[in-house]
Amino acid sequence: MSEFGLIEITEKDDVFTIEIAGLNGKTHAGLARVFRRAHESDARVVVVTGKDKSFLAPEKYEFEWVKKLGIYKDMLQIFKEAEDIVRDQINCEKVTIAKVYAPGAHSMGASIALACDFVYASEDATFSDPHLSGFGVPPGDGGALLWPTRIGLSRAREFLMTDRACTAKEAYEIGLINKVAPVDQLDAEVDALIKKLLSYDPLGLKMTKKWLNQYLQQNMNIVGMGSLFAEGMVLASGNFAQKTEAYGKQLEAEGKRKG
Amino acid sequence: MSEFGLIEITEKDDVFTIEIAGLNGKTHAGLARVFRRAHESDARVVVVTGKDKSFLAPEKYEFEWVKKLGIYKDMLQIFKEAEDIVRDQINCEKVTIAKVYAPGAHSMGASIALACDFVYASEDATFSDPHLSGFGVPPGDGGALLWPTRIGLSRAREFLMTDRACTAKEAYEIGLINKVAPVDQLDAEVDALIKKLLSYDPLGLKMTKKWLNQYLQQNMNIVGMGSLFAEGMVLASGNFAQKTEAYGKQLEAEGKRKG
Amino acid sequence: MSEFGLIEITEKDDVFTIEIAGLNGKTHAGLARVFRRAHESDARVVVVTGKDKSFLAPEKYEFEWVKKLGIYKDMLQIFKEAEDIVRDQINCEKVTIAKVYAPGAHSMGASIALACDFVYASEDATFSDPHLSGFGVPPGDGGALLWPTRIGLSRAREFLMTDRACTAKEAYEIGLINKVAPVDQLDAEVDALIKKLLSYDPLGLKMTKKWLNQYLQQNMNIVGMGSLFAEGMVLASGNFAQKTEAYGKQLEAEGKRKG
Amino acid sequence: MSEFGLIEITEKDDVFTIEIAGLNGKTHAGLARVFRRAHESDARVVVVTGKDKSFLAPEKYEFEWVKKLGIYKDMLQIFKEAEDIVRDQINCEKVTIAKVYAPGAHSMGASIALACDFVYASEDATFSDPHLSGFGVPPGDGGALLWPTRIGLSRAREFLMTDRACTAKEAYEIGLINKVAPVDQLDAEVDALIKKLLSYDPLGLKMTKKWLNQYLQQNMNIVGMGSLFAEGMVLASGNFAQKTEAYGKQLEAEGKRKG
Amino acid sequence: MSEFGLIEITEKDDVFTIEIAGLNGKTHAGLARVFRRAHESDARVVVVTGKDKSFLAPEKYEFEWVKKLGIYKDMLQIFKEAEDIVRDQINCEKVTIAKVYAPGAHSMGASIALACDFVYASEDATFSDPHLSGFGVPPGDGGALLWPTRIGLSRAREFLMTDRACTAKEAYEIGLINKVAPVDQLDAEVDALIKKLLSYDPLGLKMTKKWLNQYLQQNMNIVGMGSLFAEGMVLASGNFAQKTEAYGKQLEAEGKRKG
Amino acid sequence: MSEFGLIEITEKDDVFTIEIAGLNGKTHAGLARVFRRAHESDARVVVVTGKDKSFLAPEKYEFEWVKKLGIYKDMLQIFKEAEDIVRDQINCEKVTIAKVYAPGAHSMGASIALACDFVYASEDATFSDPHLSGFGVPPGDGGALLWPTRIGLSRAREFLMTDRACTAKEAYEIGLINKVAPVDQLDAEVDALIKKLLSYDPLGLKMTKKWLNQYLQQNMNIVGMGSLFAEGMVLASGNFAQKTEAYGKQLEAEGKRKG
């Protein structure tokens, strides 16, 4: 593990790349610092992706760590990190690109992807936020902020309040993501986007990103902060550990559990 | 008529059902209290629908009552109710589902449907807001708040400023509603949604609903309140009674008028 | 040139028509007054279009004037006008319709079209905002305000941060514009819309427009004003003249440059 | 106890009076309905005061009930009521006046007083919000919303983050309240205000109240809702019962505890 | 009368001066254009004052014109002007100074003064907004926007909901105005302020004004627009003419009526 | 110099202390990281003060570095830091206290002090923001955000648009700061505040701070971001170096210049 846990970073040719291999305690703490590091770097573009052509989904969570969210003291530390992750992502002045391979971006993985300026996905990737349907809590780590900002409140309700997952193709059609590509062409598509972005005036690019982002900053104030603490309130209810145990077993039964 | 006018309520298995049979003075006053009643109930889900597989549209209005909106003193009472209806709908902590059968949700009926968290419609239902095209007034009872929040300002202008109605199929495609189903399958679709919602952690569900709703609360502040009183100002102009008379006659000629 | 530069105005049958033939210094100053004139007129509908069935695009810019944006003192005057143009458009109490013929609405032309209540375009028209990709500056004269308000932040980023242009057909499908018509039917479509709008209660129409517009007023506060001055900051960088020179040459090479 | 618990209501001469004698479970539930009742009444002015020339302060709380806030299931019910109380107060279309006698308005009592349009207090009354200093929780039931809206963020921090109480005289000088009067003249002062308010055009009065209130509605969105759930999160921490026990004992030692 | 009615303008040494002698129809229309004229001028500072060392108060109103607000068609025109006046004042990029002599700034006069960046008053001037107490309507032409922004909601309610007038001294102490001076020193004080403002970097000054003004722009969205139309709704009630007649007579009896 | 330039940090007994000795390039970069460091620490309270009983004022600036703000490339880096400083201060979850000794908090020093939750000052300290009057630029590094949030727009304009400084006593009276104390008692007063804050429930304290702070987060969106870039636009004008040179000489003549 690096200083950021299961996250590897590389900085090359004005591009800062963040590769996430899974989620455990150290990695969550790492996410709370890695976007700040990217912000402070000299890069102009940030790419977030999963290790070995993947992305982040509950099946990569270490469930023993997830259960800590049900322990009040641990939850407080994790929530501090959760707020930092969201804020750092939307305060990052670089253009950010999520490169999403199968199985796709789910739960916190979806929040990390959707907080990026651009989301490019392979055809076999899917998107969902099982905060409510899986873990029994409101989507406070970014879901309530990011899905409605991208696809409107009406459609967002459907994905956040039911257990429906969204294929990359549908995600593209409803405007959740910006590009869907065959799995073997996704790297090339992302590289083409990077090349274009780097060809622009650096300050012009930064200011365009920053001011479009103000819509997110505003929604962070209206919904983002509050939904986070609403999630905290539900986590404290004591039902969480049990819900999580059951959800973990379900994923295991589906051959999806890791930790 | 019940204490809510032409509205029947039932509460069973955590579901609070509101069936609307038409619109007259007592029913309008009833709408200003029934969503509060639902909010205060123990149910977790609220279903709003029309009596005998229908919904609410001007053809179910008692036009003698509608004309009272042109009388200042009556209008004031009706406006107090109108504000309460909108506020109670968006303050209701239960998940709300509109089940819309033909002829669909139109004018105030559209506002009541679109203020729900989910809108499910039968294939033959349509949606429109003839506030301006029919009655000559701005869509202050919810239209200016709800259509743009669901489908964006650009498309909303088209439906609110022209007389175009939207079929259920188109409504689904542009994200105005969440599901379109054959008329004989709509009940089953709504029941499946209810079953899923009731399977979630109750507090998690409530908090998810509440915080997604904050986008509506914000737009209520920016547009909802003001558009209501702008409608009041136009109603006071004296043109309203005449417009309404003509519109009622038009509906009658089309075989659609009730009251 | 009229008192508004390369702009001709006509007022007839409650319709105020603004025809733009190109963009130079006097015309930019004219745009900063012509929407106010329309607002103060007795018309109820405003139509904005290009002279001889066109619209406004960089190929109609007088590039010697554009380069003045790189000179600080000139830029200040032009920015005062730029703010007035946006504010006057969204403060205009008349319903505004953009009638867009090929080559379509691009850069400031796109801002002028998209600030209208309705956008009707011929099939061969396209839409784009090359502020960043062409001129190297953020889309401060309306782009950051108007594209996200119409099509959501996710899709808007794609058009504002890459050089992709949007055909009229795609623009219609994603909700950027309200109607696409064969070139020889566009006038008739716009006339039909005008006829419908003029059939409504004048105050009802005005109030509907005004309150739907409040969403724009709000976004003007959150993003519009700031993005304008962010553009000013980038313009002052000294890179602008060179960028513009290069962009002008590129357009020339493509047979598109005028001034 | 009335249907509202330790609350008596009277309606006479267009004035709806709410007299609060203490706080226990039934009364809290009563507060969640009594302002709605006032709103639905025909009165034009609402007066909120304490029974026998007092107001509401922790020394009137039934501490066994307060401790229920530390029990998750009870807390949820109480929080639903807490949100309804705040919303109903700011949604009430009548002009509301708090008549505050010693010992004054403290903790939830302060929120109830400060949510009124006018606050009139006797010279010996004081104001404070010991949510943090006494109970160890953030001021989520109205404090974070109401003190800053009345006296600005800078001064509000002092009262909400330290244990400083404010005398009626200081409260008047910093703009927290509207009038301070000798204890035997307070009734007369409030009556004079009521007389003046009732002399106005009823609709003019209602609209003035309603639109000034929009500042509160906006702050409800930005801070009010979120601070409520932040309080809920802290309450769930398990420290609350112990804090409350200690605070109750302290009040008892000071001869101030009731329940 | 000038083209602006009872308003004289002078432009000299970078100062644009607006002197108002009274209020009638042509002057109200003039106010709806004169701040735009000032904005378009080359001046850097705008001074608004009353003719012959005065300011604007109902005693200078032509009451026959005021009564037109009770006639629907006239009211619409006057409301269009009213919105333009507020918007033009807060959109004016020059620093604006109100120089207020006795009898002071009252009703619309108060709105015009308080919309300026600086308010300087002579010791014998007073401030009040008798929209509700005199005319029976909500303070929609600026009162609900400007008083709370300057002195907070709590104090503003007192001046807008009762008939209390504020002396210049008290106005200074509560932060409603920026300076109070003996009547024979007011000109000198304003001149000193102008001299200081003109000594600054012109763009720095303009930007400082513009961005501080954003607080007003935001409150215009939240309260300003809506309160205007709420006033319109009340004006249409038919009580207005009678209220105004009575108020005019009262002013006459007090020796204060002009028109 | 430490890793934060002329800034020393100590962490002891749950208090993180930041002592600023002056301002140069490395220190400005240090300010852009030190509040984040404090946020990530285990402390519960942060104290910001000046070295050797002082605070931060232009007389402690290294003027050769300040002039770099007139060089575009340097300005960009400094502006990135400036945004980080403001954001990190208002995102810091610890309670922050400014302990201000003479000569007080001026220009950027004022922004750093006023962004804290509490400001305690010695009697001989003063406060001012000479961005406009001294440097000729709008107060973009926090002034336009912080002064109005603390003392209202009306009074803030006076301090931000003229060269008036505010004594500690006046600052206390108008609510700009929270406490004024004799110079030899200031440490004790701050210690007493710290002791009180540390006696509270840690999570209760953090949540109280965080949610009161949301008012600042909201104003950051409405005014803070935009005023920063407006300052950038003015800095780019080329007048800045000359203004700064003159201002530095003036401070030198007054015996106040350091760098």
Side-chain angles (χ1 to χ4, degrees), chain D residues 165-232:
Chain D
C166 186
T167 65
K169 186 167 172 294
E170 184 186 2
Y172 175 72
E173 284 166 3
I174 62 176
L176 183 71
I177 68 173
N178 300 88
K179 178 86 73 175
V180 55
V183 64
D184 58 357
Q185 291 171 31
L186 183 58
D187 278 0
E189 289 282 4
V190 168
D191 289 346
L193 174 62
I194 292 170
K195 194 178 163 193
K196 184 168 293 178
L197 294 170
L198 291 180
S199 76
Y200 298 147
D201 179 81
L203 183 63
L205 181 65
K206 189 189 296 187
M207 288 293 133
T208 303
K209 184 249 157 83
K210 205 178 268 294
W211 282 98
L212 289 176
N213 231 37
Q214 279 292 95
Y215 293 101
L216 267 181
Q217 298 277 11
Q218 179 65 3
N219 288 350
M220 182 70 190
N221 275 2
I222 305 297
V223 172
M225 268 285 284
S227 61
L228 189 71
F229 295 104
E231 182 176 349

Side-chain angles (χ1 to χ4, degrees), chain B residues 157, chain C residues 94-97 115-119 150 178 209 213:
Chain B
R157 277 199 199 100
Chain C
K94 323 298 180 190
V95 180
T96 50
I97 304 167
C116 291
D117 296 305
F118 291 93
V119 185
R150 285 186 167 265
N178 302 89
K209 185 252 154 86
N213 230 37

Side-chain angles (χ1 to χ4, degrees), chain A:
Chain A
M1 290 208 290
S2 77
E3 64 173 303
F4 300 109
L6 301 166
I7 298 168
E8 274 175 40
I9 62 170
T10 51
E11 191 177 346
K12 190 183 155 190
D13 299 338
D14 289 320
V15 179
F16 189 106
T17 301
I18 296 171
E19 269 189 330
I20 308 174
L23 188 62
N24 57 15
K26 193 172 178 197
T27 307
H28 198 267
L31 285 166
R33 289 181 299 111
V34 74
F35 292 102
R36 174 76 178 209
R37 174 75 65 89
H39 170 69
E40 290 176 352
S41 78
D42 292 325
R44 277 181 285 156
V45 171
V46 175
V47 174
V48 187
T49 191
K51 193 162 172 59
D52 299 329
K53 302 212 166 186
S54 68
F55 209 77
L56 185 59
E59 56 204 85
K60 287 192 174 185
Y61 291 7
E62 187 182 289
F63 266 74
E64 289 314 303
W65 169 77
V66 176
K67 284 192 213 154
K68 287 195 175 179
L69 275 163
I71 303 167
Y72 201 76
K73 202 172 76 67
D74 293 303
M75 185 260 274
L76 293 185
Q77 177 59 29
I78 297 172
F79 260 66
K80 181 183 171 180
E81 293 165 9
E83 187 181 341
D84 286 346
I85 295 170
V86 179
R87 286 205 186 277
D88 284 358
Q89 278 206 284
I90 66 179
N91 285 340
C92 178
E93 66 162 18
K94 322 298 180 189
V95 179
T96 50
I97 304 168
K99 183 163 65 176
V100 181
Y101 285 100
H106 301 270
S107 206
M108 194 194 183
S111 293
I112 287 173
L114 300 179
C116 291
D117 296 305
F118 291 93
V119 185
Y120 275 41
S122 64
E123 286 169 344
D124 52 354
T126 57
F127 293 79
S128 77
D129 193 328
H131 264 73
L132 179 61
S133 62
F135 298 103
V137 297
D141 72 359
L145 168 69
L146 299 163
W147 292 70
T149 304
R150 284 187 169 265
I151 56 172
L153 180 56
S154 187
R155 282 182 172 130
R157 278 200 198 100
E158 200 169 322
F159 291 104
L160 296 172
M161 298 179 79
T162 76
D163 55 5
R164 191 152 96 73
C166 187
T167 64
K169 186 168 172 293
E170 184 187 2
Y172 174 73
E173 282 166 4
I174 62 177
L176 183 73
I177 66 174
N178 301 89
K179 178 85 75 176
V180 53
V183 63
D184 59 356
Q185 293 171 29
L186 184 57
D187 278 0
E189 288 284 3
V190 170
D191 290 346
L193 175 61
I194 292 170
K195 192 178 165 192
K196 184 168 292 178
L197 294 169
L198 291 180
S199 76
Y200 297 148
D201 179 82
L203 184 63
L205 180 65
K206 189 190 296 188
M207 288 294 131
T208 303
K209 186 249 155 85
K210 204 179 270 294
W211 281 96
L212 288 175
N213 229 39
Q214 279 293 96
Y215 293 100
L216 266 182
Q217 297 277 9
Q218 179 66 3
N219 288 350
M220 181 72 190
N221 275 1
I222 305 299
V223 172
M225 268 285 285
S227 60
L228 189 71
F229 295 104
E231 183 177 348
M233 187 170 158
V234 181
L235 278 169
S237 74
N239 293 340
F240 178 72
Q242 186 185 337
K243 282 267 177 193
T244 296
E245 188 67 37
Y247 188 49
K249 286 208 172 115
Q250 177 194 324
L251 292 176
E252 201 171 16
E254 296 170 8
K256 292 182 178 164
R257 182 159 166 191
K258 175 206 176 197

Side-chain angles (χ1 to χ4, degrees), chain E residues 48-62:
Chain E
V48 187
T49 192
K51 192 164 172 59
D52 300 328
K53 303 211 166 185
S54 66
F55 207 77
L56 185 59
E59 56 204 84
K60 287 193 174 185
Y61 291 7
E62 187 182 288

